[in-house]
Amino acid sequence: MNPSLRYISISHKTASTKQREVFHIPLEKKSDYVQLICNTFPDIDGLLFLTTCNRTEIYFETTTHSATSIRNFLIDLKSPKSSLIDKKLFELSDTTEATVRHLLEVASGLESSVLGDSEIIHQIKKSYQFSMTHKLQGSLLERALQSVFKSHKRISNETNFRDGTTSVAYKALKVIQTNFKKASSTSKKILFIGAGDIVKQLFKYNSKFNYSNIYISNRSEEKAVILAQNNRCKTYPWANVLANNFDDFEVVISAVSNCSNLIHNIPFSNLKVRLLDLAVPCNIDKNLMYQNNVIFHDLDSISKELEENKELRIASKSDVINIIIEELASYNEWLNEAPLRALLAKLKISINNVVTKHYQSNVEGSQIKLVTNQVMKKLIHQTETLALIPENELNKIISKEASFFINNL
């Protein structure tokens, strides 16, 4: 039985932020989950964890274990009350073709909450690097990811799908601008909480907004200081964040990993505070949205509020789909040729063994390699016939051809 590439997914398409955060896998726990899955399902060869603010997905290469078994394992692992979890929150597939198609669609931004989101490809690259570090790229998964990177390049070069910026970080900054008069928004006192990818993106996109009164706070003061120095802003004590002491900040954007209910108390005052929660699990108590002095946004509401460049991207959607279809066809062609590649590899080993035995180590390795390649070229066009011949008969044919080339050198 041949291995298949399979996947499970819980995303913004099937689940709310609250439902998704149950299955969020923080970066510091990733290695533990990989070890657990590999120990529980020992025949898994390739394994990719894709965890973002909008999705948790597991891609895995196996011969025997179904996507359903991995889904159930994750549910049991992450939720003690697993019987209360609606299993329909998950998408899954056990076929390689459906899995590769899904991965291509996710990587392109077709499946993002914001059509064409360009950040997802960077998150996939990080996940791939993690898999390689743990030697879990697998042959089917490795090839699928090469298809992903090729399609990404084609989409960027051949379509308008990447035009315009629509990342969550950009949109969060845009929310600030729309909440204030544009002329006065740049001087508002803003606090970024966290030092991960999203906060780095906030600084990156701030060049388009020029907010000049930014503070940053993080559990690791060292990381906060580095970001503050690199982006010419000030730091704010983490102890103040834990105490929910936000002074006179008019905007607080929180994106801290694995820190539920970090912000739960905003004192009543005449100063309106804009709270933007970009984390999964959520950092901000949603009950705060009912306070008169709080304007609250989370990932779901931000995604709904801003849809810049949507028309252009929708117009390019068919071009992206065609590229995905072509890359999927190319992947399937590679997959169908796998038995032939295996046969050729086996044939080359057999030829090399026969030639080496004939020479009995009396010649240099380059001579053996030369004869091996010549015999290989002669027999490569007969692979379908040779595949049906018993091994002892095949060795006789190889020996005959090798003798011919050796005698004619």
Side-chain angles (χ1 to χ4, degrees), residues 103-119:
L103 180 57
L104 287 168
E105 289 171 349
V106 168
S108 69
L110 286 176
E111 297 290 312
S112 298
S113 59
V114 180
L115 188 67
D117 178 22
S118 59
E119 297 303 327

Side-chain angles (χ1 to χ4, degrees), residues 36 51-52 59 61-62 74 96 102 136 206 261 291 295 363:
L36 277 170
T51 304
T52 74
Y59 297 84
E61 190 174 324
T62 177
L74 183 64
T96 299
H102 177 77
L136 285 169
N206 187 45
N261 216 34
Q291 287 190 198
I295 298 174
V363 297

Side-chain angles (χ1 to χ4, degrees), residues 30 39 46 76 84 104 107 133 172 191 196 213-214 242 247 250 261 283 287 404 407-408:
K30 240 183 175 183
N39 288 343
D76 291 340
L84 301 178
L104 287 168
T133 300
L191 175 63
N213 195 15
I214 296 175
L242 293 178
D247 289 343
E250 292 179 78
N261 216 34
N283 292 164
N287 289 320
F404 173 81
N407 293 332
N408 285 277

